[in-house]
Amino acid sequence: MIDASAPELPQIESAFQPVLSLAHGAPVGYEALLRARDAAGKPCSPEAAFAVARQAGRCGEYERACLRRHVARFAQFAREDDVLFANLHPDVLVDPVHGPALAQELVESAVEPNRIVIEVLEARQETPAALVDAVERLRAHGFLIALDDFGAGLTNLGRVWDLRPDVVKLDRELICKAVESYRKARSLLRLVDLLHDIGTFVVIEGIETEEQARLSADCDADFVQGYFFARPAIEIEALAAFGAGSSPPLDARLGDARKLRRIADLEELAPYRRAFGRFKDAWCLGQPLAFAARHFLECEWALRVFVLDESGRQVGENVESDHCCERRCATFPLLARRAGANWSKRAYFREALLRPGETIVSEPYMSSSSTNLCVTLSAFVRLGEHGYVLGADIAFEGWSRHLA
């Protein structure tokens, strides 16, 4: 067994950063972080420390020594319901010697397995089946499993499906990008929804500003972590005080964070709604499609209008706005021919049939007409014995730039 103070290997110290539950305003647990010192006693990064261990051929032993240190330190300050998040490299987990030994050391530690979350680090694994087996063995002991840095590098949806983690931690780059625009924020919300649908808790990491913190709450993340809430600490007294504080460590304003508004609720959509209503009324009075839709097509980000029959098949071609061509992206030539195409599976068509006469607002989706992200306004109307769904597309990519 390695001596963590061996002169040829970096010395090991543990720091901890809270992982906070947004619903409770308190730590659900703490992530252990390596704070190493080289042979001269100078601080060195975890990457540099493990590079030294790897060069000495003792990487697995060093990883186990770090984890023993983390667990021992955690046990000194943690409350009985605190959970330890501990990073492990996939290569160590699948190692035939160090993998089982590590698990046994954890089982025999002072912290119960159901209070330890094994974070599988983002790294290439040449034998993915072996990693699945190793994770299953850890799960059988009662450990929880997390995937780190989702959205960066190799940690992808396939790995989520394979490893079935209890927790997915989103790479900090995602929240940094998401605060840049409404469109990116919506994409982050959809990603969180997708991971929840798979059956995992979601941690948003790297939160450094109030804007990022509020967006994390808007996206319905379960847990958050970052300098905005607390920096990693080595001192046990500081960690114990953080967990036992009488006032919630989260800013109370986060509980009132404005949820990301649905497209249908946006005030900025009002001019398009009004113009679509005029289009619908004019077309039902028998005016030609292009003339009936002229007011809508004059709106800044209007793309086109079209008509579907009750089965979802398009009647005639689109009527495009004058500026649609300059916003058209490269596409497959066949997709430009819309007449006769069947759009019965589109949500805007199904919703219109269910709510006759109402103006339906779709969520953004990829339009096959021009491969633009678009939002469609639709409505079911009846002329004599026949029913039709009128549709009108808005270029979401351009329109959303003006959204707060």
Side-chain angles (χ1 to χ4, degrees), residues 196-263:
H196 282 160
D197 187 62
I198 291 173
T200 74
F201 291 109
V202 177
V203 182
I204 296 183
E205 295 186 289
I207 297 174
E208 298 184 355
T209 68
E210 180 172 335
E211 185 180 13
Q212 293 172 354
R214 291 173 65 84
L215 180 56
S216 298
D218 279 358
C219 288
D220 201 26
D222 302 286
F223 310 134
V224 288
Q225 184 178 357
Y227 288 177
F228 178 76
F229 303 108
R231 289 179 174 270
I234 294 176
E235 300 79 10
I236 290 177
E237 294 78 10
L239 293 163
F242 185 93
S246 56
S247 59
L250 298 186
D251 189 328
R253 288 173 293 175
L254 295 185
D256 299 324
R258 181 181 65 183
K259 299 299 180 185
L260 280 170
R261 296 171 294 166
R262 298 184 312 137
I263 297 295

Side-chain angles (χ1 to χ4, degrees), residues 333-404:
L334 174 66
L335 300 182
R337 301 204 306 265
R338 300 274 286 192
N342 190 326
W343 307 111
S344 61
K345 301 301 182 184
R346 294 290 195 191
Y348 64 75
F349 174 78
R350 299 197 306 269
E351 288 294 316
L353 290 185
L354 291 173
R355 294 151 59 187
E358 291 186 38
T359 297
I360 306 302
V361 182
S362 79
E363 293 299 306
Y365 69 98
M366 184 62 71
S367 165
S368 62
S369 288
S370 55
T371 62
N372 295 99
L373 265 181
C374 76
V375 168
T376 296
L377 306 184
S378 61
F380 178 80
V381 296
R382 187 167 290 281
L383 292 182
E385 298 179 358
H386 301 287
Y388 300 91
V389 170
L390 302 183
D393 292 344
I394 302 167
F396 178 73
E397 292 171 281
W399 178 65
S400 64
R401 293 177 196 151
H402 304 290
L403 302 178

